[in-house]
Amino acid sequence: ANCSGGITPWGSLLSGEENFQDYFTSENLWEYRWNDADKDFIVENYGWVVELDPFDKNSEPKKRTSLGRFRHENVAVNISADNKVVAYMGDDKINECVYKFISEKNYDKTNRENNFDILDKGDLYVADFENNKWQLIDFEKREELKKNFRSQADVLINCDKAAKFVGGTECNRPEDIEINPVDNSVFIAFTNNSKKKDNFGSIVRIIERNNDSESLEFEWEVFATGGTASGFSCPDNLTFDSKGNLWVLCDISNSKLNKDIYKSFKNNSLFMIPTSGENKGKAFQFAS
């Protein structure tokens, strides 16, 4: 059930195992896609970020468990001023969290091979939007986790639950996360949350303290809000052009498309939203 994933600076591919809960869950083998799958399904084996090398035909995909287990949408990778690898991730589920991983080792731009296991060791954090902090998810260093889990492995397997114990903020379905190449700020697509009556979603921007992706403090703003006033609804996939304009693909579900409160948006569309200048935050429809 792989989703967006990402590309690393050393040229490997990352794939996020997203809606793994939809597979191997029925006695009716014709109900799901993998009809020849082994019935001895261990759910904890899925929900990870997988890395592989597209330039090596003998490369075997590896699950980077230090990034936590949840419904991974994508991974946006940055290199900090001190050459650490910083990976931003979202858990694509209602009332789930935004995460950041900081590598233990330094990125080596002169030796590609040295970077392939860099995502195996480091610190995992969850965004605390109430206190503008990244909260560490570490069994040895957080008493809240020692009271509720057995080990760091247990924490990573149950990452969505562990994140709440250390102060992670429940969000409105964090999907794609991307980094603005112009100012290094982080943009998050919050698609919607029907439980909180957020039907149209929004795009949130994180500005790390001192513009340092390793920082554990940040400021944030709602960059754009979905709805009839803005013209877009349910933002999902994001990307930037070289001038820092944000491109947004919307994802109103098929069951709701052209119905009820979504009727005015018609088909799903692609929008361009400037991130600076007089039209900052204004959505311009590019395609339908």
Side-chain angles (χ1 to χ4, degrees):
N2 304 79
C3 198
S4 172
I7 302 173
T8 68
W10 51 96
S12 65
L13 298 181
L14 302 175
S15 188
E17 295 182 323
E18 188 191 15
N19 287 309
F20 53 88
Q21 74 286 344
D22 290 341
Y23 296 88
F24 311 112
T25 56
S26 172
E27 290 299 316
N28 180 0
L29 289 181
W30 295 107
E31 199 166 319
Y32 294 94
R33 193 188 326 166
W34 297 342
N35 298 330
D36 58 348
D38 189 333
K39 282 189 175 183
D40 294 328
F41 175 62
I42 303 173
V43 69
E44 290 83 2
N45 287 346
Y46 303 92
W48 307 99
V49 170
V50 184
E51 182 178 12
L52 61 90
D53 183 3
F55 300 104
D56 180 0
K57 65 181 180 181
N58 297 316
S59 170
E60 293 187 4
K62 294 183 179 180
K63 299 197 176 187
R64 303 304 184 187
T65 54
S66 290
L67 302 184
R69 174 180 169 270
F70 46 86
R71 297 189 197 181
H72 285 275
E73 171 82 11
N74 84 307
V75 187
V77 181
N78 205 8
I79 303 299
S80 75
D82 290 335
N83 279 323
K84 301 294 185 183
V85 175
V86 180
Y88 295 91
M89 303 166 286
D91 185 353
D92 185 4
K93 184 182 176 184
I94 288 175
N95 293 336
E96 291 303 338
C97 300
V98 173
Y99 297 85
K100 178 168 82 170
F101 172 86
I102 303 176
S103 68
E104 179 181 293
K105 291 172 55 179
N106 286 3
Y107 167 66
D108 186 352
K109 65 179 180 181
T110 64
N111 190 330
R112 183 171 183 263
E113 296 300 319
N114 285 351
N115 301 309
F116 268 94
D117 292 326
I118 201 167
L119 295 176
D120 274 346
K121 289 185 179 181
D123 290 323
L124 184 64
Y125 299 85
V126 62
D128 175 356
F129 287 98
E130 293 185 13
N131 296 296
N132 292 14
K133 293 181 179 180
W134 292 101
Q135 299 286 358
L136 180 64
I137 308 174
D138 188 304
F139 178 80
E140 296 297 333
K141 297 178 181 179
R142 301 296 297 248
E143 292 300 320
E144 310 96 312
L145 300 180
K146 290 181 180 179
K147 293 176 182 178
N148 294 280
F149 300 93
R150 300 185 302 273
S151 64
Q152 182 66 4
D154 191 25
V155 165
L156 293 172
I157 288 171
N158 299 284
C159 195
D160 55 346
K161 296 180 178 65
K164 313 290 177 42
F165 282 112
V166 298
T169 300
E170 295 183 356
C171 300
N172 294 357
R173 276 190 66 203
E175 294 211 43
D176 205 353
I177 302 177
E178 298 295 340
I179 301 167
N180 189 331
V182 174
D183 65 9
N184 220 34
S185 59
V186 180
F187 284 69
I188 308 166
F190 289 121
T191 298
N192 55 39
N193 188 340
S194 57
K195 291 184 179 180
K196 294 182 179 179
K197 297 183 179 180
D198 176 12
N199 296 304
F200 305 122
S202 62
I203 299 169
V204 165
R205 175 175 176 250
I206 287 180
I207 306 97
E208 299 277 28
R209 187 174 184 180
N210 298 324
N211 199 30
D212 180 6
S213 53
E214 280 189 65
S215 176
L216 301 185
E217 297 181 359
F218 60 87
E219 298 295 329
W220 63 279
E221 65 177 2
V222 178
F223 172 73
T225 303
T228 54
S230 62
F232 72 89
S233 178
C234 304
D236 187 341
N237 294 110
L238 309 176
T239 192
F240 285 95
D241 60 32
S242 59
K243 294 182 179 180
N245 294 308
L246 179 65
W247 293 77
V248 182
L249 272 167
C250 293
D251 188 17
I252 303 169
S253 66
N254 287 347
S255 62
K256 297 178 180 178
L257 206 61
N258 285 297
K259 296 176 182 177
D260 303 322
I261 60 173
Y262 297 100
K263 192 171 184 178
S264 65
F265 301 100
K266 300 182 180 180
N267 294 332
N268 279 309
S269 297
L270 170 66
F271 292 86
M272 187 277 285
I273 308 180
T275 58
S276 61
E278 60 180 354
N279 289 318
K280 177 184 176 181
K282 183 179 179 181
F284 294 88
Q285 186 177 17
F286 182 79
S288 175

